[in-house]
Amino acid sequence: MIEEEGCTLIFLGVDGGATKTVAIIADENGRLYGVGYSGSSSHHFVGYESAKMNVLKAVETALRYAGMSWGDIDGVCYGLSSVGDTPMDTEIVRSFVSEITPIDFILVNDVVNAYYATCLGEPGVVVVAGTGSIAYGRSGIYEVRVGGWGQLIGDEGSAVYIARRALQEATKACDGRGEYTILIDRIPRALGFKSLEEVTFNLMTMKISLIELARLAPVVAEAAVNGDRVAIDILKESGRELALLAIACLRRLRLEHGIVGASGGVFKSGALVWDTFKSIVKASYPHVEFTDPIYGWQPAAGAIVLAAYKHGIRIDRRVLTRLFEAIKVEEAKL
Amino acid sequence: MIEEEGCTLIFLGVDGGATKTVAIIADENGRLYGVGYSGSSSHHFVGYESAKMNVLKAVETALRYAGMSWGDIDGVCYGLSSVGDTPMDTEIVRSFVSEITPIDFILVNDVVNAYYATCLGEPGVVVVAGTGSIAYGRSGIYEVRVGGWGQLIGDEGSAVYIARRALQEATKACDGRGEYTILIDRIPRALGFKSLEEVTFNLMTMKISLIELARLAPVVAEAAVNGDRVAIDILKESGRELALLAIACLRRLRLEHGIVGASGGVFKSGALVWDTFKSIVKASYPHVEFTDPIYGWQPAAGAIVLAAYKHGIRIDRRVLTRLFEAIKVEEAKL
């Protein structure tokens, strides 16, 4: 699908995390040449070899799709989860990326992709709320990362957090310790169990994982749409927790003006999360500017923006929008 | 240590859970003849064979200590965790207890031991807050069980809950999302790590478990004594959550008057938890009567009370106090 030949620079951008890996090939004008998709590239979840294989598969698929080889690529950026979590994590990821990449590459955490895909390198902050939650912001040479402490204790506002809060409120309601909620019935049904007892038994015996619970987030969103008070409160709480992530970044960067972006499936859970998020951030930082939340494969565009940036090329919002549109078309084909 | 011979009935009581198993031999007058102690008797934590072996070890030690054999025992009651959680759990525990017990036995959940050791079978409720949390109450033939949905989502007010809330607040403070707390430094130090990042990394990679975090509860209690606002709030929240367990039981049993008991290490975490607990329960149920919290090996006395009760013998508070004193002496020897 090479649209035209020219002297524009071609970039490869990869976005990978706990659930999926996406590679895209695009030029500085926002033209998309190829995409590749595969499974988890988190060594914590699938181990070193599978993480490496999934990145390789996404990259090779994108190259084949574009009818290109590594020699056609002017710059490459990988935004992969766990990079920067600990020095050891960074080294593990750097090691497998080196093994499959014959040219120089940029390696960052996937939250940095989300930042470049929403803030375009301008002073600002992005909050990512998918399975987990984390925020990242930049202002010139300063950068901050907030949240992302893991599903067991934190990741406030994330899909797993929403799911756990929903289970907590449903069990409380079941006991007579909390307000009635339709989640008592909807949670087991959504997970294919007969009762809440069955759900918690399977959780305790590790037959289902906390990560798998993330699929309850849309169930909570649906219950909220149906007017369930408990579900509404959980989503508002989630919006508030995500706002705290943004506010902490803005404060630490001393940014009164700036862009506030959002990325991840939780922001798709209806207007409740997003509206609560915006109003709480606005209350502390009235002059910031919000960009529309991005989802799915869109954060991979951030890797293109960053790769271009390192070549001295600034991708603007018009070009980014063009790239987003092309990505959406490809994603819909899957 | 048989203190005297007589025609009194001799009972064996066993209390076992995730962390320990205690067996005691006592008579209807509160005289203690022997005690035995061993590790976990929870098949979820250590598997079928180890759970069985630990119960057997505790029982055999108690018999040997008392210089008795099964023939000397008039009644036996086991209060073991997981009984009643699911029909399968009950069958698993019943199966291994049958294999080691040559006489008829009573089998209940360990929360029932705690109830008999605090309420003596009278209308009332006990709240247990150790590693996990659960409440149980009786009024005549009616019984209710509330809470105990597991560490991953619930067990509100328990040691694991306190530990997780402490980690959550410490990471928030570290990010600049929450109030400063001395827990930022005290948590890693207490667990033998250099930083909060190391703690959460080891949690995420499952090198430390949620259960092991329970040892942070006394760290939170100490921080509260030192005036740490965040620690104080967590302990109050814990007291409130435990009160909700008691209130739900009282409501479902329609008990306006009754005994409210407490059991488990969390109630040892200073007056903050216990005072908050009492004041919130009192606000809804002004006529209930509180008994002092029990700890350590004391719940095993509840198994003696229940075994005696099934023989038509009512153990009163004076006899129970005598038994508690004797148990405390034995426990101190360990």
Short mmCIF file of all heavy atoms in Angstrom, two decimals, chain A residues 247-308:
data_model
loop_
_atom_site.label_atom_id
_atom_site.label_comp_id
_atom_site.label_asym_id
_atom_site.label_seq_id
_atom_site.Cartn_x
_atom_site.Cartn_y
_atom_site.Cartn_z
N ILE A 247 -3.21 15.94 37.87
CA ILE A 247 -2.90 17.10 38.72
C ILE A 247 -1.50 16.98 39.32
O ILE A 247 -0.74 17.95 39.35
CB ILE A 247 -3.99 17.27 39.81
CG1 ILE A 247 -5.30 17.75 39.16
CG2 ILE A 247 -3.54 18.23 40.91
CD1 ILE A 247 -6.53 17.69 40.07
N ALA A 248 -1.15 15.77 39.76
CA ALA A 248 0.19 15.57 40.34
C ALA A 248 1.27 15.86 39.29
O ALA A 248 2.29 16.48 39.59
CB ALA A 248 0.33 14.16 40.89
N CYS A 249 1.05 15.43 38.06
CA CYS A 249 2.01 15.70 36.98
C CYS A 249 2.12 17.20 36.71
O CYS A 249 3.22 17.75 36.60
CB CYS A 249 1.59 15.01 35.68
SG CYS A 249 1.97 13.27 35.62
N LEU A 250 0.96 17.86 36.57
CA LEU A 250 0.95 19.30 36.28
C LEU A 250 1.67 20.07 37.38
O LEU A 250 2.47 20.97 37.11
CB LEU A 250 -0.49 19.80 36.13
CG LEU A 250 -1.24 19.31 34.88
CD1 LEU A 250 -2.75 19.56 35.01
CD2 LEU A 250 -0.71 19.98 33.61
N ARG A 251 1.39 19.69 38.63
CA ARG A 251 2.01 20.39 39.76
C ARG A 251 3.53 20.19 39.73
O ARG A 251 4.29 21.15 39.86
CB ARG A 251 1.43 19.89 41.09
CG ARG A 251 1.91 20.75 42.27
CD ARG A 251 1.48 20.17 43.62
NE ARG A 251 0.06 19.90 43.66
CZ ARG A 251 -0.48 18.74 43.99
NH1 ARG A 251 0.30 17.71 44.33
NH2 ARG A 251 -1.79 18.57 44.01
N ARG A 252 3.95 18.95 39.52
CA ARG A 252 5.40 18.69 39.56
C ARG A 252 6.13 19.32 38.38
O ARG A 252 7.31 19.60 38.47
CB ARG A 252 5.65 17.18 39.65
CG ARG A 252 5.30 16.68 41.06
CD ARG A 252 5.30 15.18 41.16
NE ARG A 252 6.57 14.60 40.81
CZ ARG A 252 6.80 13.28 40.79
NH1 ARG A 252 5.82 12.44 41.12
NH2 ARG A 252 7.97 12.81 40.46
N LEU A 253 5.42 19.52 37.27
CA LEU A 253 6.03 20.18 36.11
C LEU A 253 5.85 21.70 36.16
O LEU A 253 6.35 22.42 35.29
CB LEU A 253 5.42 19.64 34.81
CG LEU A 253 5.75 18.20 34.42
CD1 LEU A 253 4.85 17.73 33.29
CD2 LEU A 253 7.23 18.07 34.01
N ARG A 254 5.13 22.18 37.17
CA ARG A 254 4.78 23.62 37.31
C ARG A 254 4.14 24.15 36.02
O ARG A 254 4.49 25.21 35.52
CB ARG A 254 6.04 24.43 37.63
CG ARG A 254 6.65 24.07 38.97
CD ARG A 254 8.07 24.62 39.09
NE ARG A 254 8.81 23.87 40.10
CZ ARG A 254 8.87 24.21 41.38
NH1 ARG A 254 8.23 25.26 41.81
NH2 ARG A 254 9.56 23.48 42.24
N LEU A 255 3.22 23.39 35.51
CA LEU A 255 2.53 23.76 34.26
C LEU A 255 1.16 24.37 34.58
O LEU A 255 0.25 23.66 35.00
CB LEU A 255 2.29 22.53 33.40
CG LEU A 255 3.41 22.03 32.49
CD1 LEU A 255 2.94 20.81 31.72
CD2 LEU A 255 3.84 23.13 31.52
N GLU A 256 1.00 25.67 34.37
CA GLU A 256 -0.32 26.27 34.55
C GLU A 256 -1.12 26.14 33.26
O GLU A 256 -2.32 25.95 33.26
CB GLU A 256 -0.19 27.75 34.96
CG GLU A 256 0.26 27.96 36.40
CD GLU A 256 -0.69 27.39 37.44
OE1 GLU A 256 -1.92 27.35 37.18
OE2 GLU A 256 -0.21 26.94 38.51
N HIS A 257 -0.39 26.28 32.14
CA HIS A 257 -1.00 26.08 30.82
C HIS A 257 -0.41 24.78 30.28
O HIS A 257 0.67 24.39 30.66
CB HIS A 257 -0.65 27.24 29.88
CG HIS A 257 -1.16 28.55 30.37
ND1 HIS A 257 -2.32 29.11 29.91
CD2 HIS A 257 -0.69 29.38 31.34
CE1 HIS A 257 -2.54 30.24 30.55
NE2 HIS A 257 -1.56 30.44 31.43
N GLY A 258 -1.10 24.15 29.39
CA GLY A 258 -0.56 22.91 28.83
C GLY A 258 -1.70 22.05 28.32
O GLY A 258 -2.88 22.36 28.50
N ILE A 259 -1.29 20.96 27.69
CA ILE A 259 -2.27 20.05 27.11
C ILE A 259 -2.49 18.89 28.07
O ILE A 259 -1.54 18.38 28.65
CB ILE A 259 -1.76 19.52 25.76
CG1 ILE A 259 -1.56 20.71 24.79
CG2 ILE A 259 -2.71 18.49 25.17
CD1 ILE A 259 -0.70 20.36 23.59
N VAL A 260 -3.75 18.49 28.24
CA VAL A 260 -4.04 17.29 29.04
C VAL A 260 -4.68 16.26 28.11
O VAL A 260 -5.78 16.48 27.60
CB VAL A 260 -4.94 17.59 30.25
CG1 VAL A 260 -5.34 16.30 30.95
CG2 VAL A 260 -4.22 18.51 31.23
N GLY A 261 -3.96 15.18 27.88
CA GLY A 261 -4.45 14.12 27.00
C GLY A 261 -4.90 12.92 27.80
O GLY A 261 -4.61 12.80 28.99
N ALA A 262 -5.58 12.01 27.12
CA ALA A 262 -6.07 10.80 27.77
C ALA A 262 -6.01 9.66 26.77
O ALA A 262 -6.22 9.85 25.58
CB ALA A 262 -7.50 11.00 28.25
N SER A 263 -5.71 8.48 27.30
CA SER A 263 -5.58 7.32 26.43
C SER A 263 -6.05 6.08 27.16
O SER A 263 -5.83 5.93 28.36
CB SER A 263 -4.10 7.18 26.03
OG SER A 263 -3.89 5.97 25.34
N GLY A 264 -6.72 5.20 26.43
CA GLY A 264 -7.10 3.92 27.03
C GLY A 264 -8.59 3.69 27.13
O GLY A 264 -9.39 4.64 27.14
N GLY A 265 -8.94 2.43 27.21
CA GLY A 265 -10.33 1.99 27.16
C GLY A 265 -11.23 2.55 28.24
O GLY A 265 -12.44 2.70 28.02
N VAL A 266 -10.66 2.87 29.42
CA VAL A 266 -11.51 3.38 30.50
C VAL A 266 -12.18 4.68 30.09
O VAL A 266 -13.34 4.93 30.47
CB VAL A 266 -10.70 3.55 31.81
CG1 VAL A 266 -11.48 4.34 32.85
CG2 VAL A 266 -10.30 2.19 32.37
N PHE A 267 -11.49 5.49 29.28
CA PHE A 267 -12.09 6.76 28.85
C PHE A 267 -13.22 6.54 27.84
O PHE A 267 -13.94 7.47 27.51
CB PHE A 267 -11.01 7.70 28.29
CG PHE A 267 -10.07 8.21 29.34
CD1 PHE A 267 -8.80 7.68 29.47
CD2 PHE A 267 -10.49 9.18 30.23
CE1 PHE A 267 -7.94 8.13 30.45
CE2 PHE A 267 -9.63 9.65 31.22
CZ PHE A 267 -8.35 9.12 31.34
N LYS A 268 -13.33 5.30 27.38
CA LYS A 268 -14.44 4.94 26.49
C LYS A 268 -15.70 4.60 27.29
O LYS A 268 -16.79 4.52 26.73
CB LYS A 268 -14.04 3.69 25.67
CG LYS A 268 -13.90 3.95 24.18
CD LYS A 268 -13.96 2.65 23.40
CE LYS A 268 -12.57 2.15 23.08
NZ LYS A 268 -12.52 0.98 22.25
N SER A 269 -15.52 4.37 28.62
CA SER A 269 -16.64 3.91 29.46
C SER A 269 -17.71 4.98 29.66
O SER A 269 -18.19 5.20 30.78
CB SER A 269 -16.14 3.50 30.86
OG SER A 269 -14.99 2.72 30.79
N GLY A 270 -18.07 5.66 28.62
CA GLY A 270 -19.11 6.67 28.74
C GLY A 270 -18.53 7.98 29.23
O GLY A 270 -17.36 8.06 29.60
N ALA A 271 -19.37 9.00 29.22
CA ALA A 271 -18.92 10.36 29.53
C ALA A 271 -18.59 10.54 31.00
O ALA A 271 -17.86 11.47 31.37
CB ALA A 271 -20.01 11.35 29.11
N LEU A 272 -19.10 9.65 31.85
CA LEU A 272 -18.98 9.83 33.30
C LEU A 272 -17.53 9.98 33.75
O LEU A 272 -17.19 10.90 34.49
CB LEU A 272 -19.62 8.62 33.99
CG LEU A 272 -20.49 8.88 35.20
CD1 LEU A 272 -21.41 10.06 35.04
CD2 LEU A 272 -21.29 7.63 35.53
N VAL A 273 -16.67 9.07 33.32
CA VAL A 273 -15.25 9.13 33.72
C VAL A 273 -14.61 10.39 33.16
O VAL A 273 -13.97 11.16 33.89
CB VAL A 273 -14.48 7.88 33.20
CG1 VAL A 273 -13.00 8.02 33.50
CG2 VAL A 273 -15.04 6.60 33.83
N TRP A 274 -14.80 10.62 31.88
CA TRP A 274 -14.15 11.73 31.19
C TRP A 274 -14.62 13.09 31.72
O TRP A 274 -13.82 13.98 31.96
CB TRP A 274 -14.39 11.57 29.68
CG TRP A 274 -13.77 12.58 28.77
CD1 TRP A 274 -14.40 13.29 27.79
CD2 TRP A 274 -12.39 12.99 28.71
NE1 TRP A 274 -13.52 14.10 27.13
CE2 TRP A 274 -12.27 13.95 27.68
CE3 TRP A 274 -11.25 12.66 29.44
CZ2 TRP A 274 -11.07 14.57 27.34
CZ3 TRP A 274 -10.05 13.28 29.12
CH2 TRP A 274 -9.97 14.21 28.08
N ASP A 275 -15.93 13.23 31.94
CA ASP A 275 -16.46 14.50 32.44
C ASP A 275 -15.99 14.77 33.87
O ASP A 275 -15.62 15.90 34.20
CB ASP A 275 -18.00 14.51 32.39
CG ASP A 275 -18.51 14.63 30.96
OD1 ASP A 275 -17.68 14.91 30.05
OD2 ASP A 275 -19.72 14.43 30.73
N THR A 276 -16.01 13.74 34.71
CA THR A 276 -15.53 13.91 36.08
C THR A 276 -14.05 14.30 36.06
O THR A 276 -13.62 15.22 36.75
CB THR A 276 -15.71 12.61 36.88
OG1 THR A 276 -17.06 12.17 36.74
CG2 THR A 276 -15.39 12.80 38.35
N PHE A 277 -13.29 13.56 35.25
CA PHE A 277 -11.85 13.83 35.09
C PHE A 277 -11.62 15.29 34.74
O PHE A 277 -10.88 16.00 35.40
CB PHE A 277 -11.30 12.90 34.00
CG PHE A 277 -9.87 13.16 33.62
CD1 PHE A 277 -8.84 12.62 34.37
CD2 PHE A 277 -9.55 13.92 32.51
CE1 PHE A 277 -7.50 12.84 34.02
CE2 PHE A 277 -8.23 14.16 32.16
CZ PHE A 277 -7.20 13.61 32.91
N LYS A 278 -12.29 15.75 33.68
CA LYS A 278 -12.08 17.11 33.20
C LYS A 278 -12.45 18.15 34.25
O LYS A 278 -11.73 19.12 34.46
CB LYS A 278 -12.87 17.36 31.90
CG LYS A 278 -12.19 16.79 30.67
CD LYS A 278 -12.84 17.25 29.38
CE LYS A 278 -14.26 16.70 29.25
NZ LYS A 278 -14.86 17.01 27.95
N SER A 279 -13.61 17.95 34.90
CA SER A 279 -14.05 18.99 35.84
C SER A 279 -13.12 19.08 37.04
O SER A 279 -12.88 20.18 37.54
CB SER A 279 -15.52 18.78 36.24
OG SER A 279 -15.59 17.72 37.15
N ILE A 280 -12.57 17.96 37.48
CA ILE A 280 -11.66 18.01 38.64
C ILE A 280 -10.32 18.62 38.25
O ILE A 280 -9.75 19.43 38.99
CB ILE A 280 -11.51 16.62 39.28
CG1 ILE A 280 -12.85 16.26 39.95
CG2 ILE A 280 -10.38 16.60 40.31
CD1 ILE A 280 -12.92 14.87 40.49
N VAL A 281 -9.82 18.27 37.07
CA VAL A 281 -8.56 18.88 36.62
C VAL A 281 -8.75 20.39 36.44
O VAL A 281 -7.94 21.20 36.89
CB VAL A 281 -8.04 18.22 35.32
CG1 VAL A 281 -6.83 18.98 34.78
CG2 VAL A 281 -7.68 16.76 35.56
N LYS A 282 -9.86 20.76 35.79
CA LYS A 282 -10.19 22.18 35.53
C LYS A 282 -10.24 23.00 36.82
O LYS A 282 -9.84 24.16 36.86
CB LYS A 282 -11.57 22.28 34.84
CG LYS A 282 -11.50 22.26 33.31
CD LYS A 282 -11.18 23.63 32.74
CE LYS A 282 -11.16 23.59 31.21
NZ LYS A 282 -10.32 24.66 30.63
N ALA A 283 -10.79 22.37 37.87
CA ALA A 283 -10.94 23.08 39.14
C ALA A 283 -9.58 23.53 39.68
O ALA A 283 -9.46 24.61 40.26
CB ALA A 283 -11.66 22.20 40.16
N SER A 284 -8.53 22.71 39.47
CA SER A 284 -7.20 23.08 39.94
C SER A 284 -6.39 23.80 38.86
O SER A 284 -5.56 24.66 39.16
CB SER A 284 -6.43 21.83 40.36
OG SER A 284 -7.06 21.19 41.43
N TYR A 285 -6.63 23.44 37.62
CA TYR A 285 -5.86 24.02 36.50
C TYR A 285 -6.81 24.52 35.41
O TYR A 285 -7.00 23.86 34.39
CB TYR A 285 -4.87 22.97 35.95
CG TYR A 285 -3.74 22.72 36.92
CD1 TYR A 285 -3.84 21.75 37.90
CD2 TYR A 285 -2.59 23.51 36.87
CE1 TYR A 285 -2.82 21.55 38.82
CE2 TYR A 285 -1.56 23.32 37.78
CZ TYR A 285 -1.67 22.34 38.75
OH TYR A 285 -0.67 22.16 39.65
N PRO A 286 -7.39 25.71 35.64
CA PRO A 286 -8.43 26.20 34.72
C PRO A 286 -7.94 26.51 33.30
O PRO A 286 -8.75 26.61 32.39
CB PRO A 286 -8.94 27.48 35.41
CG PRO A 286 -7.90 27.85 36.41
CD PRO A 286 -7.20 26.60 36.80
N HIS A 287 -6.61 26.66 33.13
CA HIS A 287 -6.13 27.10 31.81
C HIS A 287 -5.62 25.97 30.92
O HIS A 287 -5.15 26.23 29.82
CB HIS A 287 -5.02 28.15 31.98
CG HIS A 287 -5.44 29.28 32.84
ND1 HIS A 287 -6.54 30.07 32.54
CD2 HIS A 287 -4.96 29.75 34.03
CE1 HIS A 287 -6.70 30.98 33.49
NE2 HIS A 287 -5.75 30.79 34.41
N VAL A 288 -5.70 24.73 31.38
CA VAL A 288 -5.21 23.66 30.52
C VAL A 288 -6.21 23.37 29.40
O VAL A 288 -7.38 23.77 29.48
CB VAL A 288 -4.94 22.34 31.31
CG1 VAL A 288 -3.82 22.53 32.32
CG2 VAL A 288 -6.21 21.82 31.96
N GLU A 289 -5.69 22.71 28.37
CA GLU A 289 -6.50 22.43 27.19
C GLU A 289 -6.61 20.91 27.05
O GLU A 289 -5.59 20.22 27.11
CB GLU A 289 -5.73 23.01 26.00
CG GLU A 289 -6.48 23.09 24.70
CD GLU A 289 -5.49 23.54 23.60
OE1 GLU A 289 -4.68 24.46 23.88
OE2 GLU A 289 -5.53 22.97 22.49
N PHE A 290 -7.80 20.37 26.90
CA PHE A 290 -7.97 18.91 26.81
C PHE A 290 -8.01 18.45 25.36
O PHE A 290 -8.61 19.11 24.51
CB PHE A 290 -9.28 18.48 27.50
CG PHE A 290 -9.28 18.75 28.98
CD1 PHE A 290 -9.79 19.93 29.49
CD2 PHE A 290 -8.74 17.82 29.86
CE1 PHE A 290 -9.77 20.19 30.86
CE2 PHE A 290 -8.72 18.06 31.23
CZ PHE A 290 -9.24 19.26 31.72
N THR A 291 -7.37 17.35 25.08
CA THR A 291 -7.50 16.74 23.75
C THR A 291 -8.42 15.53 23.88
O THR A 291 -8.56 14.97 24.96
CB THR A 291 -6.15 16.26 23.19
OG1 THR A 291 -5.65 15.24 24.08
CG2 THR A 291 -5.16 17.38 23.09
N ASP A 292 -9.03 15.13 22.78
CA ASP A 292 -9.93 13.98 22.84
C ASP A 292 -9.17 12.72 23.24
O ASP A 292 -8.03 12.51 22.80
CB ASP A 292 -10.58 13.74 21.47
CG ASP A 292 -11.63 14.80 21.16
OD1 ASP A 292 -12.14 15.42 22.12
OD2 ASP A 292 -11.93 15.01 19.96
N PRO A 293 -9.79 11.85 24.04
CA PRO A 293 -9.13 10.59 24.42
C PRO A 293 -8.81 9.76 23.18
O PRO A 293 -9.55 9.79 22.20
CB PRO A 293 -10.18 9.88 25.27
CG PRO A 293 -11.07 10.94 25.77
CD PRO A 293 -11.11 11.98 24.69
N ILE A 294 -7.70 9.04 23.22
CA ILE A 294 -7.36 8.12 22.13
C ILE A 294 -7.44 6.68 22.63
O ILE A 294 -7.33 6.43 23.83
CB ILE A 294 -5.95 8.43 21.53
CG1 ILE A 294 -4.86 8.25 22.60
CG2 ILE A 294 -5.92 9.82 20.92
CD1 ILE A 294 -3.45 8.33 22.02
N TYR A 295 -7.67 5.76 21.70
CA TYR A 295 -7.89 4.36 22.05
C TYR A 295 -7.14 3.43 21.11
O TYR A 295 -6.66 3.84 20.07
CB TYR A 295 -9.38 3.98 21.93
CG TYR A 295 -10.34 4.97 22.48
CD1 TYR A 295 -11.21 5.68 21.65
CD2 TYR A 295 -10.41 5.16 23.86
CE1 TYR A 295 -12.12 6.58 22.17
CE2 TYR A 295 -11.32 6.06 24.39
CZ TYR A 295 -12.17 6.77 23.54
OH TYR A 295 -13.06 7.66 24.06
N GLY A 296 -7.22 2.16 21.45
CA GLY A 296 -6.81 1.10 20.53
C GLY A 296 -5.40 1.28 20.00
O GLY A 296 -4.44 1.36 20.75
N TRP A 297 -5.28 1.33 18.68
CA TRP A 297 -3.96 1.41 18.03
C TRP A 297 -3.41 2.83 17.97
O TRP A 297 -2.26 3.03 17.56
CB TRP A 297 -4.03 0.84 16.60
CG TRP A 297 -4.35 -0.61 16.53
CD1 TRP A 297 -4.67 -1.45 17.56
CD2 TRP A 297 -4.35 -1.43 15.35
NE1 TRP A 297 -4.89 -2.73 17.12
CE2 TRP A 297 -4.70 -2.75 15.75
CE3 TRP A 297 -4.10 -1.17 14.00
CZ2 TRP A 297 -4.80 -3.80 14.85
CZ3 TRP A 297 -4.20 -2.23 13.10
CH2 TRP A 297 -4.56 -3.53 13.52
N GLN A 298 -4.23 3.82 18.29
CA GLN A 298 -3.82 5.21 18.12
C GLN A 298 -2.52 5.60 18.84
O GLN A 298 -1.71 6.34 18.29
CB GLN A 298 -4.96 6.15 18.51
CG GLN A 298 -6.12 6.11 17.50
CD GLN A 298 -7.29 6.97 17.94
OE1 GLN A 298 -7.61 7.05 19.12
NE2 GLN A 298 -7.94 7.61 16.98
N PRO A 299 -2.27 5.07 20.08
CA PRO A 299 -1.01 5.47 20.75
C PRO A 299 0.24 5.15 19.93
O PRO A 299 1.27 5.82 20.10
CB PRO A 299 -1.04 4.67 22.05
CG PRO A 299 -2.51 4.46 22.33
CD PRO A 299 -3.12 4.27 20.97
N ALA A 300 0.15 4.15 19.03
CA ALA A 300 1.32 3.83 18.20
C ALA A 300 1.75 5.03 17.36
O ALA A 300 2.93 5.18 17.01
CB ALA A 300 1.03 2.63 17.31
N ALA A 301 0.80 5.91 17.04
CA ALA A 301 1.13 7.13 16.28
C ALA A 301 2.12 7.99 17.05
O ALA A 301 2.94 8.71 16.46
CB ALA A 301 -0.14 7.93 15.98
N GLY A 302 2.06 7.89 18.38
CA GLY A 302 3.00 8.65 19.22
C GLY A 302 4.44 8.24 18.98
O GLY A 302 5.36 9.06 19.07
N ALA A 303 4.64 6.95 18.70
CA ALA A 303 5.99 6.47 18.41
C ALA A 303 6.50 7.08 17.11
O ALA A 303 7.69 7.39 16.98
CB ALA A 303 6.01 4.94 18.34
N ILE A 304 5.60 7.27 16.14
CA ILE A 304 5.97 7.93 14.88
C ILE A 304 6.33 9.39 15.15
O ILE A 304 7.35 9.90 14.65
CB ILE A 304 4.80 7.85 13.85
CG1 ILE A 304 4.41 6.39 13.53
CG2 ILE A 304 5.12 8.66 12.58
CD1 ILE A 304 5.43 5.62 12.71
N VAL A 305 5.50 10.05 15.96
CA VAL A 305 5.76 11.46 16.30
C VAL A 305 7.13 11.60 16.95
O VAL A 305 7.91 12.49 16.59
CB VAL A 305 4.66 12.00 17.25
CG1 VAL A 305 5.00 13.42 17.73
CG2 VAL A 305 3.29 11.98 16.57
N LEU A 306 7.44 10.70 17.88
CA LEU A 306 8.72 10.78 18.60
C LEU A 306 9.90 10.46 17.68
O LEU A 306 10.93 11.14 17.72
CB LEU A 306 8.70 9.85 19.82
CG LEU A 306 9.97 9.82 20.69
CD1 LEU A 306 10.38 11.23 21.15
CD2 LEU A 306 9.76 8.92 21.90
N ALA A 307 9.73 9.45 16.81
CA ALA A 307 10.79 9.10 15.87
C ALA A 307 11.07 10.28 14.94
O ALA A 307 12.24 10.62 14.67
CB ALA A 307 10.40 7.87 15.06
N ALA A 308 10.01 10.93 14.46
CA ALA A 308 10.16 12.09 13.57
C ALA A 308 10.84 13.24 14.32
O ALA A 308 11.75 13.90 13.79
CB ALA A 308 8.79 12.53 13.06
#
